[in-house]
Amino acid sequence: MDVIKVAILGFGTVGEGVYRTIQTHGDELQATLGKRVEVASILVRNKQKSRDIREEVLVTTDFEEILQFPQLDIVFEAIVEKEPTFTYLKQAIQKGCHIITANKEMFAHHGEELLKLAEEHHVSVGFEATVAGGIPVIQTLGQLLKINRVQYIQGILNGTSNFILTEMREKKLSFQEALTQAQENGYAEADPTNDVEGFDAFYKSMILSRIAFGEQPNWQEVEREGITSITSELIETAELAGLRFKHVASIHKAGDNLTAIVKPVVVGKEHPFYHVEGVENAVNVHSDIVGRITLQGPGAGMFPTASAMIEDLVYVCQTNSSGPRPEKSGTATISDKNNETKQQWLIHGHVKNYIHPSITWLEQINETTFIVEATKRDVDQLNQQEQSLRYFTILGEYEPIKKPVKVL
Ligand code: NAP
Ligand code: HSE
């Protein structure tokens, strides 16, 4: 066989990016794999849409037609939602095809089953594009940090949310204007609720957790919040304090306890996430030998995602394993950052002469915004007194701007 025949499921932002990259990088693929890569078929939902696809490629709405093709080696999947995607990919594996997916919602739910099935059928699964767009974080964690014990991971994992927060701050766009631009640029999901309510970052963090820790936290116990309540006023106030809002997913292991939180935080200038702007994503991996590594790059969009999938094409052709699956025992633990650990917070709202022995009021930014040092339990108590209060963890050290605290 001197040709590798592939099918692409979906011809939206990602599917078209894969198709075009196979055309533009055919020589590099052939030189690396020793075989020509040919797109044989493409699955779409609506055949009437006009698309720039070569005549000899089968374009169909019927997955059965793709499966029946005389030669089919690899299936790229870039459609949406869990079904019918999961069913299609199972069928492709059972037919002996390698699969490469960008669909994190499906993979967070069914990745384990697909990896197991692939192992049984001696084919491989590429899923680099499911997390952090073009950043090779899956391969880095799964293949290049095998001896290091991962302690915790923090990531800006949703390009759309980071793009919106950046546009609202830099260009003073409204939330809706920024979201519309993210949709026009092909960053947002078909239903952007997944992006702006934190589901997309949640799915990605669960995939990362499986790679880094060999397990996932109980999904029901993961605190998940998106960016829809981050107003322009909050963004401007944080800026007065030298802080920027970022939507961050964190996964920690303390003892046997694996926890994850997905929510907006504020970051100081010294933190590596401060300068991660626009559609960029970044992942901080803290491990016992190397310390902290930050991987940063484009988190969404046509070609960054195609890049991850095309590199996966080489990976699945050159390996017989069904994807990175580290052992659970290879992870380190750190002391629990629990409700009793003191940390810094940005607090926004009307605080009326509230005195608490263990809250340290560091600075007052304006009438309604304070920087404090306190435990999670303390700020929760504060919130019980004033339910309209908003509070956000500060990542990185807060650098005081030297405004006196009037509240005390
Ligand atoms: P998109 O632009 O909305 O395109 C989706 C494509 O899938 C369309 O071509 C659509 O067909 C086709 N499709 C949808 N449901 C189908 C079904 N049931 N049967 C057959 N075809 C179907 O989406 P996208 O942005 O390319 O994203 C695709 C996947 O990649 C999603 O799972 C997404 O989460 C993931 N992803 C996206 C990005 C990104 O930057 N956009 C990055 C990483 C991962 P029609 O064209 O006929 O409507
Ligand atoms: N909608 C996703 C994002 C695409 O904005 O990050 C990349 O996974």
Side-chain angles (χ1 to χ4, degrees):
M1 173 176 65
D2 51 11
V3 180
I4 295 171
K5 297 238 180 193
V6 310
I8 303 175
L9 314 188
F11 200 77
T13 304
V14 177
E16 183 173 353
V18 170
Y19 176 79
R20 287 169 58 180
T21 306
I22 290 174
Q23 315 307 321
T24 55
H25 289 67
D27 292 346
E28 288 84 350
L29 284 167
Q30 186 159 5
T32 307
L33 299 172
K35 291 171 187 172
R36 203 156 44 81
V37 176
E38 200 176 284
V39 178
S41 51
I42 295 176
L43 184 77
V44 292
R45 198 167 25 194
N46 176 3
K47 251 180 100 170
Q48 309 315 317
K49 275 191 201 169
S50 101
R51 311 181 202 253
D52 191 6
I53 298 175
R54 291 181 185 189
E55 262 181 28
E56 63 271 24
V57 178
L58 167 75
V59 179
T60 177
T61 54
D62 182 1
F63 184 62
E64 220 19 66
E65 270 195 90
I66 289 184
L67 274 186
Q68 295 315 322
F69 219 77
Q71 183 192 334
L72 180 61
D73 303 303
I74 295 171
V75 172
F76 284 95
E77 186 267 308
I79 54 180
V80 291
E81 298 181 348
K82 301 193 286 290
E83 285 294 358
T85 322
F86 178 47
T87 304
Y88 290 167
L89 292 185
K90 278 194 294 189
Q91 289 174 327
I93 290 172
Q94 280 156 348
K95 198 181 153 68
C97 301
H98 301 300
I99 59 163
I100 297 170
T101 181
N103 185 333
K104 50 270 159 146
E105 179 174 4
M106 182 282 302
F107 201 75
H109 284 87
H110 300 301
E112 272 302 290
E113 288 155 88
L114 288 177
L115 289 168
K116 192 162 173 289
L117 191 65
E119 209 167 300
E120 286 162 18
H121 289 266
H122 311 290
V123 294
S124 299
V125 179
F127 54 98
E128 187 65 71
T130 59
V131 181
I135 308 174
V137 61
I138 300 290
Q139 287 294 343
T140 304
L141 275 174
Q143 304 291 339
L144 307 178
L145 289 178
K146 280 186 162 152
I147 306 304
N148 271 270
R149 294 176 182 163
V150 178
Q151 296 165 319
Y152 66 97
I153 295 179
Q154 286 172 330
I156 295 178
L157 299 179
N158 185 260
T160 299
S161 297
N162 206 46
F163 178 83
I164 292 172
L165 291 173
T166 306
E167 296 291 293
M168 285 173 74
R169 194 192 75 246
E170 273 188 352
K171 301 190 183 151
K172 311 292 174 216
L173 295 191
S174 69
F175 180 92
Q176 192 49 54
E177 286 167 335
L179 172 58
T180 302
Q181 279 202 13
Q183 289 173 308
E184 284 168 5
N185 293 349
Y187 305 151
E189 298 298 302
D191 177 359
T193 311
N194 272 0
D195 294 297
V196 297
E197 296 293 358
F199 290 101
D200 181 76
F202 166 77
Y203 295 137
K204 290 166 174 170
S205 64
M206 293 302 103
I207 295 170
L208 277 184
S209 176
R210 176 73 70 198
I211 295 293
F213 300 104
E215 60 179 329
Q216 296 180 357
N218 181 341
W219 284 24
Q220 311 310 320
E221 288 169 12
V222 178
E223 193 181 329
R224 177 201 44 78
E225 188 187 326
I227 59 160
T228 45
S229 66
I230 307 302
T231 58
S232 299
E233 185 205 350
L234 273 172
I235 290 173
E236 279 169 25
T237 310
E239 224 185 344
L240 287 177
L243 300 167
R244 286 181 180 169
F245 272 97
K246 300 288 166 193
H247 187 257
V248 171
S250 311
I251 317 158
H252 276 83
K253 183 143 189 186
D256 283 340
N257 195 18
L258 185 63
T259 54
I261 302 180
V262 180
K263 61 189 228 182
V265 300
V266 284
V267 299
K269 287 194 175 71
E270 301 306 318
H271 194 278
F273 289 174
Y274 186 82
H275 294 290
V276 179
E277 296 277 63
V279 73
E280 294 270 299
N281 280 188
V283 183
N284 269 351
V285 183
H286 298 251
S287 334
D288 62 345
I289 311 176
V290 69
R292 174 177 57 77
I293 292 175
T294 303
L295 301 166
Q296 182 177 342
M302 182 178 273
F303 291 112
T305 313
S307 164
M309 296 187 91
I310 291 297
E311 295 296 344
D312 263 353
L313 168 63
V314 175
Y315 165 76
V316 300
C317 288
Q318 292 181 339
T319 177
N320 281 326
S321 96
S322 57
R325 302 180 81 185
E327 294 302 313
K328 191 175 171 178
S329 56
T331 54
T333 65
I334 53 165
S335 60
D336 197 355
K337 258 203 161 185
N338 58 24
N339 284 354
E340 305 302 329
T341 311
K342 279 219 170 202
Q343 40 183 325
Q344 294 179 327
W345 304 84
L346 176 88
I347 293 192
H348 182 76
H350 289 281
V351 184
K352 296 174 204 128
N353 294 325
Y354 184 86
I355 298 183
H356 187 290
S358 60
I359 294 184
T360 312
W361 298 83
L362 297 176
E363 196 147 32
Q364 179 161 13
I365 305 305
N366 60 23
E367 282 304 302
T368 50
T369 313
F370 302 86
I371 306 291
V372 306
E373 198 167 74
T375 65
K376 171 87 165 54
R377 184 189 296 264
D378 292 335
V379 286
D380 280 342
Q381 276 177 10
L382 191 57
N383 196 34
Q384 272 167 17
Q385 304 223 344
E386 263 316 325
Q387 302 212 334
S388 60
L389 277 189
R390 305 288 316 278
Y391 51 89
F392 303 93
T393 308
I394 300 177
L395 295 188
E397 275 299 300
Y398 173 69
E399 283 177 37
I401 51 170
K402 308 273 186 300
K403 277 198 169 187
V405 179
K406 284 190 214 150
V407 77
L408 289 179

